[in-house]
Amino acid sequence: MSQDEALLPTKPELEILKLLWRRKALSAREIADEVAAPLDWSYSTLRTVLERMVEKRLLKRLEGEGVNRYAASVGKVSLLSRMIEDFSGRVLELDAAPPAVTFAKSKLLTRSEIEELERTLRKAEQKS
Amino acid sequence: MSQDEALLPTKPELEILKLLWRRKALSAREIADEVAAPLDWSYSTLRTVLERMVEKRLLKRLEGEGVNRYAASVGKVSLLSRMIEDFSGRVLELDAAPPAVTFAKSKLLTRSEIEELERTLRKAEQKS
DNA sequence: CATGGCATGCTACAACTGTAGCAAAACGCC
DNA sequence: GGCGTTTTGCTACAGTTGTAGCATGCCATG
C-alpha cells in the first residue's frame, strides 16, 4: 500500500496533465474552460477529479495568494517514459522500449525533450 | 451504449487473452493453472473475470461437449493494433502509429504477424 | 455594509474492477 | 446408485473512477 507507487493517470487525468504541462499553474476555473468542455464535464466533476489528482500526487495545489492553482507534480518526460515502459513491456512484451526517436513526431515533445526521453528510457532500462 | 464499442482489456484481462492466443481454447481450470498463480487470484476470482470477459465479448464460451472452454474472440493483431493506435494517438499524440517493425522484437508476434500488424495499422489510419 | 457571485469543502451515487464465497448441479468412479 | 470432486451459477463487497449537487465562506462592488 505504499501510496506513491508510481501510478499512471487515467484518460481524463492525462488530458489535464497535458494542459498543465503546457500552461504551468492554472486555477480550477481556467482548467475547466479548457478541458471540461471537450470532456463534457461539469465544473463540479472537474473539481473532484482535480482534488483526487492532488491526493494521488499527480498534481500539487498551490494555495496562498488568491485563488488556488493547480500544477503538474509529475514531469512530462518522466511520466511519458513510464507509460511507454509499461506499454512496451506489459502489452507488447518488448525487452526494451523503442528508441525515443520513434516518437519524434509527437505533438507533445520538443526535440530536446525527445533526447531527454531517450536518456530516461535507457536509464529505466538498467533497472530491469 | 452500443455494447460493442471496441473496448480495450484491463491488465489481467490482457494476460488471459495472451494465454488464449497461444493455447486456443481452455477450460477455466486450465486457465487458472496458468494465470491464477502469477496473478495471485483464487479460482473464484478467475472465473468471475472470465465470465465478465464473455459479457464484454472479449472471450467466447464454448459449451457442449463436457467442460466449458473459453477462447479469445478478439484477434491478437487486431487488438494489439487498436491498443497501439490508442496509445500513439491519445497518449503520445502522434498522427500515425509507428511502423510495425518497431515492435519486431515483441515476444508476442511472429514475423508474419508483424506484417499483418503493419497492414492493419495502415488500414486503421485511413479512417482518421 | 449588504448582496451577488465564484471558490472551497463535503457528500453522494452509479459503473466498473478486483476479489472471493457459497450452494446446487453434474460428472466420474467404486 | 451413492459419494466425493469439479463445474457452474449466484451473490457480495470494497476500491476506483466518472459524474455531480449542495452549503458555506470569502471577496469585490455598489
Side-chain angles (χ1 to χ4, degrees):
Chain A
M1 314 305 151
S2 86
Q3 68 287 42
D4 50 29
E5 26 180 285
L7 46 163
L8 302 178
T10 64
K11 293 172 206 222
E13 286 174 350
L14 180 61
E15 292 314 308
I16 292 171
L17 283 172
K18 283 183 187 174
L19 171 64
L20 291 172
W21 285 331
R22 271 184 282 130
R23 308 277 305 282
K24 304 300 176 191
L26 299 178
S27 68
R29 186 59 64 178
E30 289 168 321
I31 297 173
D33 290 342
E34 305 242 20
V35 304
L39 250 38
D40 194 41
W41 275 1
S42 74
Y43 178 59
S44 233
T45 298
L46 176 77
R47 274 191 33 82
T48 303
V49 173
L50 287 178
E51 283 306 313
R52 285 177 183 166
M53 288 177 78
V54 171
E55 282 161 26
K56 290 201 273 187
R57 312 276 173 147
L58 287 173
L59 300 184
K60 38 184 182 299
R61 183 176 39 222
L62 313 171
E63 317 190 29
E65 359 68 53
V67 179
N68 290 166
R69 318 203 135 244
Y70 296 87
S73 79
V74 278
K76 177 167 61 170
V77 169
S78 138
L79 179 65
L80 288 180
S81 161
R82 280 196 286 120
M83 293 182 80
I84 290 168
E85 289 262 323
D86 172 68
F87 192 78
S88 304
R90 184 178 58 79
V91 178
L92 293 173
E93 298 193 2
L94 291 167
D95 282 333
V101 281
T102 309
F103 317 120
K105 295 242 177 70
S106 167
K107 297 193 184 61
L108 283 180
L109 298 163
T110 64
R111 175 156 205 78
S112 73
E113 283 166 342
I114 295 282
E115 282 160 26
E116 189 192 346
L117 177 62
E118 177 65 20
R119 289 191 297 276
T120 308
L121 286 173
R122 292 323 141 204
K123 204 175 305 166
E125 204 169 293
Q126 313 280 283
K127 293 180 300 189
S128 70
Chain B
M1 308 302 165
S2 88
Q3 68 287 42
D4 49 30
E5 28 180 286
L7 46 163
L8 302 178
T10 64
K11 292 172 207 220
E13 285 173 350
L14 180 61
E15 292 312 308
I16 291 170
L17 283 171
K18 283 183 186 175
L19 171 63
L20 291 173
W21 286 331
R22 273 185 279 131
R23 307 279 305 282
K24 304 300 178 192
L26 299 179
S27 67
R29 185 61 60 181
E30 290 169 318
I31 297 173
D33 290 343
E34 305 243 18
V35 303
L39 249 39
D40 195 39
W41 275 0
S42 75
Y43 178 58
S44 233
T45 297
L46 175 77
R47 276 190 32 82
T48 303
V49 172
L50 287 177
E51 282 307 312
R52 284 176 183 169
M53 288 176 78
V54 170
E55 283 161 26
K56 289 202 273 186
R57 313 278 174 147
L58 286 173
L59 300 185
K60 35 186 186 301
R61 183 176 40 222
L62 313 172
E63 317 191 29
E65 359 68 54
V67 178
N68 290 165
R69 316 203 138 243
Y70 296 86
S73 78
V74 279
K76 176 168 62 171
V77 169
S78 140
L79 179 65
L80 288 180
S81 161
R82 282 197 286 118
M83 294 183 78
I84 290 168
E85 289 262 326
D86 173 68
F87 193 78
S88 304
R90 184 178 59 78
V91 178
L92 293 174
E93 297 193 6
L94 291 166
D95 283 332
V101 281
T102 308
F103 316 120
K105 295 244 177 71
S106 168
K107 296 193 184 64
L108 282 179
L109 298 163
T110 64
R111 175 156 204 80
S112 72
E113 283 167 341
I114 295 284
E115 282 160 25
E116 188 192 347
L117 178 62
E118 179 62 20
R119 289 192 297 278
T120 308
L121 285 173
R122 291 324 141 204
K123 204 174 306 166
E125 207 168 291
Q126 313 279 284
K127 295 179 300 189
S128 70

